[in-house]
Structures are given as C-alpha cells and as structure tokens.
Amino acid sequence: MHYARIKYRTIENGEGIRVSLFVSGCNLRCKGCHNAQALDFSYGNKFTGETEKEIIDFVNNNSYISGLTILGGEPFDPRNQEVLTKFAKRFKEETNKSIWCYTGYILERDLLDTNGRAYTQFTKEFLKHIDVLIDGPFDIDQRDLTLPFRGSRNQRILNLRNLNLNI
C-alpha cells in the first residue's frame, strides 16, 4: 500500500488535533474529489512498518494529539484493507487514542454486507478499531462547506462505539 501524505497536526479531519494519514488508491472517482492525486494506488510513498512507527511515536510523544484519521484515496478499497487493519490494531494497542476514518462506501451496504462492494476478510476487523466512520461518497451536488468534518450533506458521521454492529 502507498500513502499520499501524512499531516501530523490537523484539525479539519476529526475532533481535536489529529494525525491524518491520506492513503493512495480509490476507484470511486467522485466528481469534484478534493484529493484527486491520491486516486492512483501507486501514488506517493510506500507505507511500511517504519511509517507506522513514526506515526505511533509522534502520537505517543505529543499528548495533545487526540488520535489518528485515515482517509484517502479510499481506506476501505479492498487493496488497502489488510495493511490498514493491521496498522489500526497496532495503533490502538500502542496509543489507546481514537481512530476516525473516511470512506466513500456506505457502511450497511458496502462494508457490513458480505456481498458488499468493499467487503473483504479484513473489513469487520478494520471496523472494530475505528471509533468514528464518515461514510458516503462526496456528492458535488450536495456540497456544503458549513458541515463539520464532511464535504457533502449525504455523508454521515457514525460513532461506531455507539452502534450495535455485531462485528
């Protein structure tokens, strides 16, 4: 897996000051995508164990960091899920901080349904480590810059800790 960039101090992708990991690769191709350069799965840098360690060390050495946000590209693209599932598990174990994740897929239809477009053997395990999921594709016709943490009105902010997902 590749990543487009890492922002070590950001406030626009979740509550508090967060580290944002922008993964590479997305096949959804939302019209008006704000991160179009990250659509290519080979864009940017290779995501390695050293990259994981740098993020975790930064979070652990800076107590003001609220957690990690994973966005893209598309974190739940089947090609990204295995690596991100392992990283999310490690991040939670080593930092005990929150994870927010953005996806263009719909939770019930694409991620929880075993016949869903993005469902893989890793999907449910990945979801177990995510505290807040922002789901739904960016829809330029529903664009609303006044919404916190979202780009269009169709996108939902889902606190997965409060939902009974049976995963």
Side-chain angles (χ1 to χ4, degrees):
M1 185 189 86
H2 283 76
Y3 66 96
R5 71 182 185 183
I6 300 168
K7 286 182 157 183
Y8 282 96
R9 291 173 191 88
T10 181
I11 58 169
E12 65 269 7
N13 300 316
E15 292 178 344
I17 301 171
R18 311 184 67 75
V19 173
S20 291
L21 169 65
F22 293 81
V23 302
S24 296
C26 180
N27 286 317
L28 296 175
R29 306 290 195 247
C30 300
K31 182 180 176 184
C33 175
H34 79 283
N35 203 12
Q37 73 273 14
L39 298 177
D40 181 348
F41 285 88
S42 59
Y43 178 81
N45 301 299
K46 185 91 171 133
F47 189 78
T48 65
E50 184 58 34
T51 312
E52 290 183 10
K53 183 179 179 333
E54 286 175 17
I55 293 170
I56 290 168
D57 287 350
F58 181 83
V59 170
N60 283 332
N61 291 325
N62 294 281
S63 62
Y64 62 88
I65 298 292
S66 299
L68 172 70
T69 300
I70 305 171
L71 59 171
E74 177 52 60
F76 275 94
D77 185 278
R79 288 179 266 188
N80 290 333
Q81 285 188 43
E82 181 177 8
V83 170
L84 290 174
T85 299
K86 291 175 183 175
F87 175 53
K89 180 178 190 293
R90 179 180 176 194
F91 181 86
K92 288 297 252 183
E93 288 172 349
E94 295 185 28
T95 71
N96 200 32
K97 302 272 184 141
S98 70
I99 297 178
W100 284 45
C101 185
Y102 285 75
T103 182
Y105 292 109
I106 304 295
L107 176 66
E108 299 84 356
R109 182 188 70 206
D110 300 317
L111 302 178
L112 292 177
D113 184 335
T114 57
N115 294 314
R117 293 190 298 166
Y119 186 86
T120 73
Q121 67 190 51
F122 303 103
T123 307
K124 288 184 178 180
E125 182 68 22
F126 189 15
L127 287 167
K128 284 180 186 179
H129 302 293
I130 295 170
D131 298 285
V132 177
L133 182 74
I134 293 85
D135 80 339
F138 172 73
D139 182 341
I140 198 162
D141 295 327
Q142 295 189 56
R143 182 177 175 210
D144 186 342
L145 299 178
T146 67
L147 296 171
F149 311 123
R150 296 171 288 161
S152 57
R153 289 183 302 280
N154 62 298
Q155 295 172 313
R156 304 181 297 174
I157 299 175
L158 304 170
N159 185 330
L160 298 185
R161 298 293 151 251
N162 293 340
L163 297 177
N164 185 13
L165 297 179
N166 295 319
I167 51 176

